[in-house]
Amino acid sequence: MSSPTEVLIIGAGFAGLGTAVHLHRRGRDVRVLERADSLGGTWRDNTYPGCECDIPPALYSYSFAPQATWARGRAGQPEILAHLHELADEPGLRERITCGVGATGCRWDEHTQRWHVTTDRGTTYDARFLVLAVGALNVPRIPRLDGTFDGPAVHTARWDRSLDLTGRRVAVVGTGASAVQLVPRLAEIAAHVTVVQRTAPWILPRTAPRLPLPRPARRAFEYWRAEARLGSFTGSPDRLEARALRHLHDGVADPALREALTPRHRIGCKRILFSDDYYPALSRDNVELVPSPIARLAGNAVVTADGREHPADALVFATGFHVSGALASVPVAGRGGVVLLERWAREGAQAHLGVTVSGCPNMFVLGGPNTGLAHTSVLTMLESQFRYAAAVMDGTDREGVDALEVDERAPARFGAEMAARSAGTAWTSGCDSWYLDRGGVNRSLWPDYAWRYRWRTRRFDRENYHVPVSAMEPSPVSFP
């Protein structure tokens, strides 16, 4: 027997919980499925030393659930995870969240006009509306390397809390966001830290002005300050690059090390990082930066592409995530049995406003194509997306129909617009980043101000939708 529900949300991280709270307050019958044993998404998974939010903390909460304390300090992983549990404590919501149950397939039933969802526990759900809130930062990317390593090896997103690295030699592969937070902590306890760098990142100061402002004013100040940074990505990068280079010069005295840490790509082409203690950590006697990518493993050492061998007792991969891997774990088949990821693999990932997909009636993707941000909090985008999804649901009710589906031309227009507006920006300036697909097209970022996305999604644009034709029988489809 299938469990009927009005709205089924897959994923209990920031996106899923924010959607659940918003729809629950509007009187919707909401159910949330979470594959892991507890909620929290990436803030549950990432427990490495030093893990914290690297954007202005005043912006790292939804407008309807602001965090006053974050406006005056930093938001660390334990604080953020606690806040997510507070979201789940919305009256009447906690019992509607089921953890430890992963969705294994979602199929649109053209006969019943509902989504049929199977799980790895043998349970099934029939939902009128389906919300995919699986996130993008939960499938660790670990390079395939020749050789073996004799000691413990972990990815930052799968940190082993029992691992004691005090007095040990540690090799850290990668210099992204997790690395710049972890390396200073390791430098304090390890005998030696080897940092293997493929590409030098752009790093800006982490410390921000602490103005004595009330919470709403602080949030507004941080919001517009972050929005003002967009021009460095879409126009001239000179001022922001100059600021980052001053930060590098102030933090690193050794000219040779400074040269190795100087980025060779335009600022913003890859993710910008924020840290006040990464550069000083690299200047310590027990830390060595190796500006050469890892090539292979050699028992109790790692070997870099320059041929050097670096002894290590433990190995840490700070190598990021497969950003499309999470959605791959939840196969979706829409009208006619067409599998969403197979279609996106052929045509490129695209969705209308990054949220609705043709061929998938009554389905909403949160954090979908071209809804990421490089200059401010992604929560501003997520809130716009689930408010838009709620407006579409309301519109479906007003018309008294079972389902609405976005017209095929709308996602294509949106995708073409995003590609055109990305031309000439930092994100398409030539470096290799997860922002771009295999064809070099920006499928990840919204290339504009966040307020303009909020404006675009402020209402339900009914003219871009139609009522799908009901079929006599459900379309057969099977998932591997």
Side-chain angles (χ1 to χ4, degrees):
M1 288 290 292
S2 295
S3 300
T5 187
E6 184 183 19
V7 184
L8 184 65
I9 301 170
I10 299 178
F14 253 118
L17 291 175
T19 306
V21 171
H22 183 69
L23 295 178
H24 182 63
R25 290 181 178 180
R26 297 170 68 88
R28 295 279 180 189
D29 172 30
V30 175
R31 300 284 172 178
V32 182
L33 294 185
E34 168 56 52
R35 181 182 300 273
D37 291 334
S38 60
L39 59 82
T42 191
W43 295 108
R44 172 201 60 235
D45 296 340
N46 287 269
T47 61
Y48 60 86
C51 181
E52 64 178 12
C53 173
D54 66 355
I55 61 142
L59 298 179
Y60 211 68
S61 58
Y62 291 123
S63 64
F64 54 82
Q67 291 296 294
T69 56
W70 296 2
R72 296 187 299 273
R74 293 185 175 184
Q77 179 269 338
E79 291 178 277
I80 298 172
L81 185 59
H83 172 58
L84 287 166
H85 279 273
E86 291 171 2
L87 284 177
D89 286 334
E90 174 80 10
L93 183 60
R94 177 74 71 162
E95 55 267 31
R96 296 177 177 272
I97 302 172
T98 303
C99 294
V101 177
T104 56
C106 307
R107 174 178 58 80
W108 174 251
D109 189 323
E110 296 181 54
H111 178 62
T112 63
Q113 298 280 281
R114 294 178 73 86
W115 284 96
H116 181 72
V117 179
T118 56
T119 73
D120 55 8
R121 296 301 177 91
T123 54
T124 59
Y125 293 82
D126 283 302
R128 185 182 178 204
F129 299 104
L130 177 66
V131 179
L132 300 180
V134 294
L137 305 181
N138 53 35
V139 180
R141 180 190 294 272
I142 299 177
R144 295 181 180 180
L145 300 168
D146 292 332
T148 59
F149 186 72
D150 295 338
V154 297
H155 189 279
T156 50
R158 298 292 184 266
W159 192 258
D160 182 355
R161 296 189 184 187
S162 67
L163 183 61
D164 185 5
L165 298 177
T166 303
R168 306 184 74 179
R169 298 170 300 177
V170 184
V172 178
V173 180
T175 53
S178 58
V180 302
Q181 294 178 352
L182 174 64
V183 167
R185 305 289 83 75
L186 293 180
E188 295 172 352
I189 62 171
H192 189 271
V193 180
T194 301
V195 181
V196 180
Q197 172 185 279
R198 182 181 62 177
T199 305
W202 285 100
I203 302 178
L204 290 171
R206 179 69 176 81
T207 302
R210 296 176 61 179
L211 303 178
L213 297 173
R215 183 178 64 201
R218 176 67 176 184
R219 185 178 176 94
F221 169 77
E222 293 286 17
Y223 178 85
W224 291 110
R225 190 167 74 106
E227 289 277 63
R229 192 181 299 135
L230 180 70
S232 296
F233 305 147
T234 59
S236 172
D238 294 350
R239 291 182 62 184
L240 199 61
E241 287 188 357
R243 184 182 175 208
L245 290 174
R246 284 197 304 271
H247 183 52
L248 170 60
H249 189 276
D250 292 344
V252 178
D254 177 40
L257 179 57
R258 205 160 56 227
E259 175 65 18
L261 288 167
T262 301
R264 305 305 176 191
H265 57 277
R266 177 177 166 182
I267 194 166
C269 190
K270 292 177 179 285
R271 183 181 177 185
I272 297 176
L273 309 180
F274 297 85
S275 176
D276 293 329
D277 51 11
Y278 180 65
Y279 286 150
L282 294 178
S283 300
R284 292 174 60 122
D285 292 339
N286 66 328
V287 178
E288 179 187 7
L289 177 77
V290 180
S292 179
I294 189 169
R296 59 184 176 89
L297 306 175
N300 62 350
V302 299
V303 180
T304 47
D306 58 6
R308 296 174 60 200
E309 189 170 291
H310 309 275
D313 303 312
L315 176 59
V316 177
F317 290 103
T319 44
F321 302 88
H322 293 283
V323 296
S324 62
L327 192 56
S329 68
V330 187
V332 173
R335 272 192 307 103
V338 176
V339 178
L340 176 60
L341 283 189
E342 292 179 358
R343 179 181 175 186
W344 278 358
R346 293 191 305 268
E347 304 172 3
Q350 52 189 17
H352 178 52
L353 298 173
V355 179
T356 53
V357 182
S358 60
C360 293
N362 286 12
M363 189 189 82
F364 309 93
V365 182
L366 300 186
N370 293 111
T371 62
L373 290 173
H375 68 285
T376 189
S377 173
V378 73
L379 298 191
T380 62
M381 300 291 280
L382 289 174
E383 187 166 343
S384 295
Q385 290 167 59
F386 59 65
R387 287 180 183 274
Y388 177 76
V392 178
M393 294 179 193
D394 291 345
T396 308
D397 289 345
R398 284 194 303 270
E399 295 196 23
V401 296
D402 292 323
L404 287 174
E405 176 186 343
V406 69
D407 293 333
E408 189 173 60
R409 290 169 296 182
R413 283 196 305 267
F414 183 73
E417 177 194 351
M418 295 297 98
R421 297 182 69 175
S422 297
T425 65
W427 311 302
T428 58
S429 60
C431 72
D432 179 23
S433 78
W434 61 266
Y435 299 151
L436 309 180
D437 67 8
R438 293 180 181 179
V441 179
N442 170 28
R443 304 283 185 183
S444 301
L445 299 180
W446 167 253
D448 205 338
Y449 295 105
W451 70 262
R452 283 187 174 150
Y453 184 81
R454 187 61 170 267
W455 179 258
R456 291 273 292 269
T457 57
R458 72 193 186 283
R459 66 174 185 88
F460 170 36
D461 49 339
R462 177 65 177 85
E463 65 274 13
N464 287 314
Y465 289 78
H466 65 269
V467 178
V469 177
S470 190
M472 293 303 296
E473 298 292 339
S475 302
V477 64
S478 60
F479 298 110

